[in-house]
Amino acid sequence: MGTGVSLLACENEGCPSRPRLGDLPEDCVALVLSYLDPPEICKLAKLNRAFRGASRADLVWEPKLPSNYCLVIEKVFKDFPKNLCKKEIYARLCQPNPFDGGTKKAWLDKRTGGVCLSISSKGLAITGIDDRRYWTYIPTEESRFNTVAYVQQIWWLEVDGEVDFPFPAGTYSIFFRLQLGRASKRLGRRICNPEHVHGWDIKPVRFQLWTSDGQHATSQCFLDEPGRWIQYHAADFVVDNSNAPTKIKFSMTQIDCTHTKGGLCVDSVLIYPREFRERLKHF
């Protein structure tokens, strides 16, 4: 009771109120925010005016950008605004940005700022792709590129690709996004037709990777689990120099002509920082 009366008296006499979060200097708030992940920064920006202002500071967002983000911008964009603050640059790079005629997309992971790439089926060299007896392109909403390559039946499978990109230093994993069976919708429900799926359990497919600095890796696996998209891990590679593009060549083959195989959808090839591997097994 006495405490309440004294507080009321203090307020009536114009005593200074307790410091609040909104009273913190923006530069101090910005320094704290610079140690947080982007999603946390965006949440705290909603607290008050001081946090909102501090969340726009360049010193908060510059550490989130790749060390060579200027090279990434130069590679991906033909025209990029020059008057953007670092937060706006980060937001622009987090979008899936198409380049190379729309056959590739690059973006930053919103949480970590890691550089990610996707190469569409139309950006790959697929043996026999122009022969409609074997291959066809199928429109679908299940692809970032709205189209996948589908092989009904073939003796010789060979899918090659390459990319020349200024990856930041680090270790990266490359995946082939594949599905056994052709998906469609019926009465609003997704169904997958396994009619032409055959031959993938007889011999494994072989993945290979080469880099411009002499790295080479190979792996193989059987394609399984019809009816859903799977990221098949092909190989890892290491980037040491962020100041120069790294050229990567990769392939997927199953060239044993003793049997046919078919019913395979090829969506894209994905390149992610290696630490993403666990969350990319199924997508």
Side-chain angles (χ1 to χ4, degrees), residues 153-172:
Q153 181 169 289
I154 204 167
W155 291 89
W156 180 289
L157 175 77
E158 186 172 14
V159 179
D160 300 296
E162 63 179 64
V163 64
D164 195 4
F165 197 84
F167 291 98
T171 303
Y172 295 82

Side-chain angles (χ1 to χ4, degrees), residues 58 80-89 92:
D58 282 353
F80 194 82
K82 296 182 179 180
N83 58 344
L84 298 182
C85 67
K86 296 298 189 295
K87 179 181 180 180
E88 292 169 328
I89 293 174
R92 182 72 65 90

Side-chain angles (χ1 to χ4, degrees), residues 188-204:
R189 297 183 61 184
R190 182 185 190 273
I191 60 172
C192 193
N193 185 355
E195 178 184 359
H196 300 120
V197 176
H198 69 284
W200 306 109
D201 57 344
I202 299 175
K203 291 288 181 66

